[in-house]
């Protein structure tokens, strides 16, 4: 008769010399009969947000169903077409003015994940709604060390008005813990790494000093790592090694960005140390941190803003020297529309990288992507018109039906998609935002 040893505690940490490090989700943490079963792996939610709308002719497929051709903006997703669905016609009725002053960004951005009408105010009395990601995070409770992770590329704007009569709080982020508490976006990869792997036994100054000395958190937990590895099976040892390698690779990239001459000069102006001067490196690093957080099961909920709403970033590296926001108001000028389409495609390349990183990170017999619902979108469709009733939405991952273009009745509330998504994530809800019912097209053939 074989005796099965108890499952390894999910709260097990690698410890040593005042440092502590979370472990990836290992088969040893599950009952032996379910260790490799994909259906027993954790479910996750990730949201990827691009600002300032879209050039819809370059984004929206012409054909519906499974045989649609990828338009130019979506071409970077070709390796993942079986894992994605494009859903056309979804909108946010709550982003309408409803008697308020005209200000598209200030209402549409907070509506994106909440399905709520934002209160028009420049003061501290902001109000929107609880966002989808935070509903799922609350459902998970204390299942993970961090309830959620909100990452981005841009630092928050100053307090005050960013859109006409609307507080900057409405355009700085997309996650809302409560109707009056928006969650801040973190853009500094070093700060994110510290949040993921910092330990309460070591003060922040000490951990930062450790990174500046070019040492690694892995150096401090090496003995505990060897002890644990000896107790694990072959698959778990492989997964642990893969996780540690990824952690160290990210550490090195953060250290390089903090000490490079370009970043040192930028830090004296507007950027804190740790933010790469190169946009592409910054975006990939933040995505890798988000994936690492899922791989370690530090959190199962994440949002990523590749740009703050109303972003005026320029992209000379792809031949776009003009401001993103200004180009979004192109007035149907072909040259400006072409530049905006270039930005849209560039952002889509990072979404493709996001999917690829999840797909290549193993989770039992499958991958992280297999058990993750991924939503990619913007607060506007046609940016020139501030069209919030036909949004550019892509869903991906194993929790949604993939490989097709679905067109729903224009103006169908985006809240219907979020309700269906929450139900696919096993959250017992019957309504969300201004939903009229779950969007059956998310999971049905």
């Amino acid at each position: 008769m074989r005796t099965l040893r108890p499952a390894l505690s999910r709260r097990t940490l690698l410890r040593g010399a005042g440092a502590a490090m979370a472990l990836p989700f290992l088969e040893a943490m599950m009952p032996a009969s379910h260790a490799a079963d994909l259906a027993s792996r954790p479910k996750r939610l990730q949201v990827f947000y691009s600002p300032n709308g879209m050039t819809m002719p370059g984004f929206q497929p012409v054909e519906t169903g499974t045989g649609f051709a990828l338009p130019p903006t979506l071409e970077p997703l070709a390796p993942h077409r079986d894992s994605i669905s494009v859903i056309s016609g979804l909108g946010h009725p709550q982003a309408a003015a409803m008697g308020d002053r005209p200000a598209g960004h200030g209402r549409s951005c907070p509506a994106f994940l909440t399905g709520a009408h934002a209160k028009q105010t420049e003061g501290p009395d902001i109000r929107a709604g609880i966002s989808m990601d935070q509903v799922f995070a609350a459902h998970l409770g204390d299942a993970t060390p961090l309830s959620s992770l909100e990452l981005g590329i841009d630092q928050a704007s100053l307090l005050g008005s960013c859109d006409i009569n609307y507080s900057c709080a409405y355009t700085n982020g997309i996650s809302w813990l409560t109707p009056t508490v928006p969650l801040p976006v973190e853009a500094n990869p070093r700060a994110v790494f510290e949040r993921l792997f910092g330990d309460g036994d070591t003060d922040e100054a000490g951990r930062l000093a450790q990174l500046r000395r070019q040492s690694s958190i892995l150096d401090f937990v090496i003995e505990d790592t060897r002890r644990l590895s000896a107790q694990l099976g072959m698959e778990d040892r492989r997964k642990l090694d893969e996780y540690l390698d990824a952690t160290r690779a990210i550490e090195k990239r953060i250290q390089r960005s903090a000490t490079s001459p370009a970043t040192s000069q930028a830090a004296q102006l507007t950027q804190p140390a740790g933010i790469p001067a190169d946009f592409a490196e910054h975006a990939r690093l933040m995505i890798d941190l988000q994936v690492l957080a899922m791989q370690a099961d530090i959190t199962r909920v994440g949002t990523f803003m590749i740009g703050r709403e109303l972003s005026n970033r320029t992209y000379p590296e792809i031949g776009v020297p003009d401001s993103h926001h200004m180009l979004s108001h192109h007035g149907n000028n072909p040259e400006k529309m072409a530049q905006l389409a270039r930005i849209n495609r560039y952002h889509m390349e990072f979404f493709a990288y996001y999917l690829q990183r999840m797909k290549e990170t193993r989770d039992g017999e499958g991958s992280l992507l297999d058990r993750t619902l991924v939503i990619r979108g913007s607060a506007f469709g046609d940016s020139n018109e501030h069209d919030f009733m036909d949004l550019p939405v892509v869903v991906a991952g194993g929790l949604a039906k993939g490989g097709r273009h679905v067109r729903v009745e224009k103006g169908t509330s985006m809240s219907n998609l979020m309700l269906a998504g929450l139900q696919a994530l096993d959250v017992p809800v019957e309504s969300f935002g201004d939903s009229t019912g779950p969007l059956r097209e998310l999971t049905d053939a």
Side-chain angles (χ1 to χ4, degrees):
M1 179 176 178
R2 185 165 61 97
T3 301
L4 298 176
R5 68 182 177 197
L8 184 68
S9 170
R10 179 62 200 91
R11 298 297 183 185
T12 302
L13 298 174
L14 296 176
R15 294 186 177 274
M21 184 176 177
L23 287 170
F25 195 87
L26 302 171
E27 292 183 9
M29 295 173 178
M30 304 175 66
S33 60
H34 295 91
D37 181 11
L38 182 62
S40 64
R41 315 302 286 194
K43 291 184 177 181
R44 308 172 185 87
L45 171 66
Q46 294 289 308
V47 181
F48 185 106
Y49 182 87
S50 291
N52 301 332
M54 189 73 63
T55 48
M56 293 301 282
F59 170 87
Q60 201 166 68
V62 175
E63 309 91 350
T64 57
T66 58
F68 70 96
L70 290 170
T73 299
L74 294 181
E75 284 176 354
L77 300 183
H80 311 291
R81 68 174 296 140
D82 290 342
S83 301
I84 67 167
S85 282
V86 182
I87 303 181
S88 298
L90 295 175
H92 264 317
Q94 296 302 315
M98 299 183 183
D100 294 336
R101 293 280 299 276
H105 299 271
R107 281 191 303 272
S108 294
C109 185
F112 180 71
L113 275 188
T114 68
H117 183 78
K119 178 181 179 180
Q120 182 176 291
T121 179
E122 296 180 4
D125 56 333
I126 56 174
R127 174 174 288 274
I130 302 173
S131 56
M132 174 197 184
D133 58 312
Q134 293 308 304
V135 172
F136 182 45
H139 168 72
L140 292 175
D142 61 355
T144 56
L146 294 181
S147 59
S148 61
L149 198 58
E150 295 75 40
L151 303 187
I153 297 298
D154 296 328
Q155 298 290 324
S157 290
L158 299 175
L159 295 176
S161 175
C162 285
D163 203 356
I164 304 170
N165 298 119
Y166 282 83
S167 166
C168 291
Y170 289 126
T171 51
N172 280 335
I174 55 175
S175 295
W176 289 72
L177 181 65
T178 74
T180 58
V181 180
L183 292 175
V185 170
E186 180 55 66
N188 189 332
R190 171 176 282 175
V192 177
F193 192 89
E194 288 295 322
R195 188 179 178 195
L196 296 181
F197 298 111
D199 178 36
D201 296 334
T202 306
D203 63 28
E204 184 173 348
R207 293 194 302 273
L208 291 177
Q210 169 195 320
L211 285 176
R212 292 191 186 102
R213 289 194 304 268
Q214 304 295 300
S215 59
S216 168
I217 189 174
L218 305 185
D219 296 335
F220 294 94
V221 298
I222 188 169
E223 292 301 324
D224 210 23
T225 301
R226 289 170 178 164
R227 177 195 58 75
L228 176 65
S229 184
Q231 304 173 28
L232 299 176
M234 182 181 299
E235 177 61 19
D236 275 350
R237 285 199 301 270
R238 181 208 60 76
K239 187 170 186 178
L240 180 60
D241 289 344
E242 181 182 84
Y243 167 65
L244 297 176
D245 288 344
T247 302
R248 182 59 185 136
I250 288 177
E251 275 188 314
K252 289 180 178 179
R253 288 160 65 191
I254 293 172
Q255 289 161 355
R256 282 198 303 269
S257 66
T259 58
S260 69
T263 302
S264 298
Q265 293 172 11
Q268 296 174 15
L269 301 175
T270 59
Q271 290 181 314
I275 294 184
D278 180 73
F279 173 83
E281 170 58 16
H282 188 189
R284 286 191 293 265
L285 184 52
M286 299 304 280
I287 289 169
D288 288 346
L289 282 164
Q290 194 77 279
V291 172
L292 188 65
M294 288 189 289
Q295 184 181 7
D297 205 32
I298 295 173
T299 187
R300 299 172 190 172
V301 186
T303 57
F304 177 68
M305 296 183 76
I306 200 164
R308 185 177 56 81
E309 193 61 38
L310 287 164
S311 170
N312 280 311
R313 181 183 292 274
T314 63
Y315 296 89
E317 67 270 30
I318 59 169
V320 181
D322 297 329
S323 153
H324 185 185
H325 179 228
M326 296 306 294
L327 288 171
S328 73
H329 296 287
H330 47 70
N332 295 317
N333 179 297
E335 183 178 345
K336 292 181 178 180
M337 291 180 70
Q339 288 192 71
L340 181 60
R342 213 172 298 158
I343 295 174
N344 296 158
R345 182 184 172 110
Y346 190 43
H347 285 177
M348 199 64 69
E349 290 173 3
F350 293 103
F351 181 61
Y353 177 77
Y354 204 6
L355 298 181
Q356 183 60 36
R357 289 290 293 110
M358 282 188 272
K359 185 178 289 187
E360 66 191 18
T361 302
R362 291 177 61 180
D363 183 34
E365 293 184 345
S367 72
L368 285 181
L369 189 60
D370 292 332
R371 296 288 284 174
T372 304
L373 175 64
V374 188
I375 299 175
R376 187 258 177 246
S378 301
F380 296 122
D382 182 349
S383 58
N384 190 60
E385 299 295 331
H386 279 182
D387 181 9
F388 48 80
M389 295 301 282
D390 190 5
L391 304 178
V393 177
V394 176
V395 294
L399 300 184
K401 187 75 174 179
R404 64 207 173 127
H405 173 216
V406 176
R407 193 184 304 277
V408 299
E409 183 179 353
K410 184 175 180 179
T412 299
S413 177
M414 176 86 170
S415 294
N416 290 1
L417 168 64
M418 292 187 280
L419 174 59
L422 288 170
Q423 292 179 351
L425 292 163
D426 301 326
V427 183
V429 290
E430 297 301 324
S431 64
F432 177 83
D434 62 349
S435 65
T436 58
L439 189 76
R440 61 179 180 80
E441 288 87 352
L442 179 68
T443 54
D444 292 351

